[in-house]
Amino acid sequence: MASQILPLELVDRCIGSPIWVVMKASSREFTGTLVGFDDFVNMVLKDVTEYEMTPQGRKATKLKETLLNGNHIALLIPGGEGPEGASS
Amino acid sequence: MASQILPLELVDRCIGSPIWVVMKASSREFTGTLVGFDDFVNMVLKDVTEYEMTPQGRKATKLKETLLNGNHIALLIPGGEGPEGASS
Amino acid sequence: MASQILPLELVDRCIGSPIWVVMKASSREFTGTLVGFDDFVNMVLKDVTEYEMTPQGRKATKLKETLLNGNHIALLIPGGEGPEGASS
Amino acid sequence: MASQILPLELVDRCIGSPIWVVMKASSREFTGTLVGFDDFVNMVLKDVTEYEMTPQGRKATKLKETLLNGNHIALLIPGGEGPEGASS
Amino acid sequence: MASQILPLELVDRCIGSPIWVVMKASSREFTGTLVGFDDFVNMVLKDVTEYEMTPQGRKATKLKETLLNGNHIALLIPGGEGPEGASS
Amino acid sequence: MASQILPLELVDRCIGSPIWVVMKASSREFTGTLVGFDDFVNMVLKDVTEYEMTPQGRKATKLKETLLNGNHIALLIPGGEGPEGASS
Amino acid sequence: MASQILPLELVDRCIGSPIWVVMKASSREFTGTLVGFDDFVNMVLKDVTEYEMTPQGRKATKLKETLLNGNHIALLIPGGEGPEGASS
């Protein structure tokens, strides 16, 4: 087996760094600094920007600290450039 | 590993303080003072305002005490300014 | 940690008193007297009024006794004034 | 704590009696005599009437015996008058 | 307690006999002879007819043997007359 | 009790043979040779054809090898003639 | 029993190689090199392209590293040619 990076290892390496999180209901996304997580991959972010897709376009909201329910997280992207910085 | 804040630690620190809770079905949000929680992150809030998105706009309802089912909570934001106070 | 009220403690204190229950599929709500519950927060209510949102408006139905599946309960509000008595 | 009726105690008291069951997908309801149940609240009914809401109105179907998956049951009402007999 | 029939006892009594199964996504129904099941109420049927509701009406398809995922089964009706033979 | 075929026994007998799998979200179906499975009924297929229902009709795509998540499988049909070969 | 390939064995063989992942909500797909996975089939990909179906057509986004929640993965296809390279 090739050497690999376990999923929780990747999450752990992101502590203190910016990440981008996409929720299951894909109309909500978050960027912020990962402050902590647990075995259910519940996550605490700080300096958060929430992106919500509305019929009027993407809406950004600033939040200080946010706890995300791990069950509702679909994907996590280290680096945290978010839906606005992603290259198409 | 950088020092981190565990998700339940964040919830515990919010006891007695205002929080803002967004349910999975994202048309319902709550602000209020966190009175208690359990391992399933079921939560008891008091002095609650419920925000419901309806086709006629956001509707606010005052409630004294409310128990929220942890399975249906998507995110928790300490501070509790709610959907009206959040800065865009 | 500040003193807190555990979620099941709140439910237990409601035995014999009126409550208001909102189901996950938010078109169904119930008020009634809480008669019993179990660890899954399945609940038995008596003297129940069921409120169902229909395209023709809110429809109220009287029921004697009702068992609610805890998995499908989103929130519980002690006091039981229901969707009609709630102050906006 | 006031004396209470546990949810499974209520189900057990209904054995041999008519009940009314509303499924999670609320377009399906059943009335019939409760013949048995298990810890998952899977239920066996006999002399069943199934009510299905269709765009053409409520459709009733007679069934002899039916097994209902407990996961998909939202509520149970002892007495079994069903959606037609319920007082508004 | 009145004598009762446990749900799995009912399923077991149907081995070798025709049954009618309605899936959770209620647009799919199956009739056939029950060949086997397990503790998750996964089921093996043979001589199967699948009924699928389409915008063009009910479509029937003949299948020899089918394994149904128990999680997605909403109800089981012994006798197997199916959606066509049921009396309204 | 009549002699029966357990669900996993049926899956096991299909190893090396063509099968037809219908996913929960019924717009996706697969045919192919079953190469392996586990206790969660996750499945490995080879020489796969994926059928996807689109507003423009059924679309077929050839895939070499595919792993299907067992939670999202609704039914499995040995023989593998697929949605095109099934007799109506 | 014929010799078989277990699902996790297939995933393990893909470490270091390109794969194509389709999420449950089928409007999101990913291609990239599999870097790691765990028992819940959470996966780490690198050199990722995300494909999202929008009303304006398929939209591709480049991402460096991505963690996918295993619960939301419907299927995995080794080789990673993605929705654009698949032969119809």
Side-chain angles (χ1 to χ4, degrees):
Chain A
M1 194 184 79
S3 84
Q4 60 153 301
I5 299 167
L6 290 172
L8 286 184
E9 206 181 314
L10 176 70
V11 180
D12 193 62
R13 277 195 340 216
C14 291
I15 292 279
S17 302
I19 61 168
W20 172 15
V21 178
V22 178
M23 305 299 277
K24 185 167 62 169
S26 63
S27 58
R28 268 181 202 270
E29 310 191 1
F30 297 86
T31 57
T33 302
L34 182 64
V35 179
F37 69 98
D38 61 21
D39 287 353
F40 306 101
V41 202
N42 297 315
M43 289 180 191
V44 181
L45 303 188
K46 68 173 184 187
D47 304 328
V48 177
T49 305
E50 179 188 1
Y51 299 92
E52 202 176 353
M53 292 308 298
T54 70
Q56 288 75 43
R58 185 186 290 136
K59 190 184 127 204
T61 307
K62 296 284 182 196
L63 301 168
K64 276 182 213 130
E65 219 174 18
T66 303
L67 168 60
L68 303 177
N69 181 337
N71 278 329
H72 302 316
I73 294 173
L75 48 137
L76 177 158
I77 301 142
E81 65 265 64
E84 289 176 342
S87 57
S88 295
Chain B
M1 193 183 80
S3 85
Q4 59 153 301
I5 299 167
L6 290 172
L8 286 184
E9 207 181 314
L10 176 69
V11 180
D12 194 62
R13 277 195 339 216
C14 291
I15 292 279
S17 301
I19 61 168
W20 172 16
V21 178
V22 178
M23 305 299 278
K24 186 167 61 169
S26 63
S27 58
R28 267 181 203 271
E29 310 191 2
F30 296 86
T31 57
T33 302
L34 182 64
V35 179
F37 69 98
D38 61 21
D39 287 353
F40 305 101
V41 201
N42 297 315
M43 289 181 192
V44 180
L45 303 187
K46 68 174 184 186
D47 304 328
V48 177
T49 305
E50 178 188 0
Y51 298 92
E52 201 176 354
M53 291 308 298
T54 70
Q56 288 75 42
R58 185 187 288 136
K59 190 185 127 203
T61 307
K62 296 284 182 196
L63 301 168
K64 277 181 212 132
E65 220 174 15
T66 303
L67 169 60
L68 303 176
N69 182 336
N71 279 329
H72 302 317
I73 294 173
L75 47 136
L76 176 159
I77 302 142
E81 65 265 64
E84 290 176 342
S87 56
S88 295
Chain C
M1 193 184 79
S3 84
Q4 58 153 300
I5 299 167
L6 291 171
L8 286 184
E9 207 182 313
L10 176 70
V11 180
D12 193 63
R13 276 196 339 217
C14 291
I15 292 279
S17 301
I19 62 168
W20 172 17
V21 178
V22 177
M23 305 299 278
K24 186 167 61 169
S26 64
S27 58
R28 268 181 202 272
E29 310 191 3
F30 296 87
T31 57
T33 302
L34 182 65
V35 179
F37 69 98
D38 61 21
D39 286 354
F40 305 101
V41 201
N42 297 315
M43 288 181 191
V44 180
L45 303 187
K46 69 173 183 186
D47 304 328
V48 177
T49 305
E50 179 188 1
Y51 299 92
E52 201 176 354
M53 291 309 297
T54 70
Q56 288 74 43
R58 185 187 288 135
K59 190 184 127 204
T61 307
K62 297 285 182 195
L63 300 168
K64 277 182 211 131
E65 219 174 16
T66 303
L67 169 60
L68 303 177
N69 182 336
N71 279 330
H72 302 316
I73 293 173
L75 47 136
L76 177 159
I77 302 141
E81 65 265 64
E84 290 177 341
S87 57
S88 295
Chain D
M1 193 184 78
S3 84
Q4 58 152 301
I5 299 167
L6 290 172
L8 285 184
E9 205 182 315
L10 176 70
V11 180
D12 194 63
R13 276 195 341 216
C14 291
I15 293 279
S17 302
I19 62 168
W20 173 15
V21 178
V22 178
M23 304 300 277
K24 187 167 61 169
S26 64
S27 58
R28 268 181 201 271
E29 310 190 3
F30 296 87
T31 58
T33 301
L34 182 65
V35 178
F37 70 98
D38 61 22
D39 286 354
F40 306 101
V41 201
N42 297 315
M43 289 181 191
V44 181
L45 303 188
K46 68 173 185 186
D47 304 329
V48 177
T49 305
E50 179 189 1
Y51 298 93
E52 201 176 353
M53 290 310 297
T54 70
Q56 289 74 44
R58 185 187 289 135
K59 190 184 127 203
T61 307
K62 297 285 181 194
L63 302 168
K64 276 181 212 132
E65 219 173 17
T66 303
L67 169 60
L68 303 176
N69 182 337
N71 278 330
H72 302 315
I73 294 173
L75 48 137
L76 176 159
I77 301 142
E81 66 264 64
E84 290 177 342
S87 56
S88 295
Chain E
M1 192 182 81
S3 84
Q4 59 152 301
I5 299 167
L6 291 171
L8 286 184
E9 206 182 314
L10 176 69
V11 180
D12 193 63
R13 276 194 342 215
C14 291
I15 293 278
S17 301
I19 62 168
W20 172 17
V21 178
V22 178
M23 304 300 277
K24 186 167 62 168
S26 63
S27 58
R28 269 182 200 271
E29 309 191 2
F30 296 86
T31 58
T33 302
L34 182 65
V35 178
F37 69 99
D38 61 21
D39 287 354
F40 306 101
V41 201
N42 297 315
M43 289 182 192
V44 181
L45 303 188
K46 68 173 184 186
D47 305 328
V48 176
T49 305
E50 179 189 1
Y51 298 93
E52 201 177 353
M53 290 309 298
T54 71
Q56 289 73 44
R58 184 187 289 136
K59 188 184 129 203
T61 307
K62 296 284 182 196
L63 302 168
K64 276 181 212 132
E65 219 173 17
T66 304
L67 168 61
L68 303 176
N69 182 336
N71 279 330
H72 302 315
I73 294 173
L75 47 138
L76 176 159
I77 302 142
E81 65 265 63
E84 289 176 344
S87 56
S88 296
Chain F
M1 193 183 80
S3 85
Q4 59 153 301
I5 299 167
L6 290 172
L8 286 184
E9 206 182 314
L10 175 69
V11 180
D12 193 63
R13 277 194 341 214
C14 291
I15 292 279
S17 302
I19 62 169
W20 173 16
V21 178
V22 178
M23 305 299 277
K24 186 166 62 168
S26 64
S27 58
R28 268 182 201 270
E29 310 192 2
F30 296 86
T31 58
T33 302
L34 182 65
V35 179
F37 69 98
D38 61 21
D39 287 354
F40 305 101
V41 202
N42 297 316
M43 290 182 192
V44 181
L45 302 188
K46 68 173 184 186
D47 305 328
V48 177
T49 305
E50 178 189 0
Y51 299 92
E52 202 177 353
M53 291 308 299
T54 70
Q56 289 74 43
R58 184 187 290 136
K59 187 183 129 205
T61 307
K62 296 284 181 197
L63 302 168
K64 275 180 213 134
E65 220 174 16
T66 304
L67 168 60
L68 303 176
N69 181 336
N71 279 330
H72 302 316
I73 294 173
L75 47 138
L76 176 159
I77 302 142
E81 66 265 63
E84 288 176 344
S87 57
S88 297
Chain G
M1 194 183 78
S3 85
Q4 60 153 300
I5 300 167
L6 290 172
L8 287 184
E9 207 181 314
L10 176 69
V11 180
D12 193 62
R13 278 194 340 215
C14 291
I15 292 279
S17 302
I19 62 169
W20 173 16
V21 178
V22 178
M23 305 299 277
K24 186 166 63 168
S26 63
S27 58
R28 268 181 201 271
E29 311 192 1
F30 296 85
T31 58
T33 302
L34 182 65
V35 179
F37 69 98
D38 61 21
D39 288 354
F40 306 101
V41 202
N42 297 316
M43 290 181 192
V44 181
L45 303 188
K46 68 174 184 187
D47 305 328
V48 177
T49 305
E50 178 188 2
Y51 299 93
E52 201 176 353
M53 291 309 298
T54 70
Q56 288 75 42
R58 185 187 288 135
K59 189 183 127 204
T61 307
K62 296 285 182 195
L63 302 168
K64 276 181 213 131
E65 219 174 18
T66 303
L67 168 61
L68 303 176
N69 181 337
N71 279 329
H72 302 316
I73 294 174
L75 47 137
L76 176 159
I77 302 142
E81 65 265 65
E84 289 176 344
S87 57
S88 296

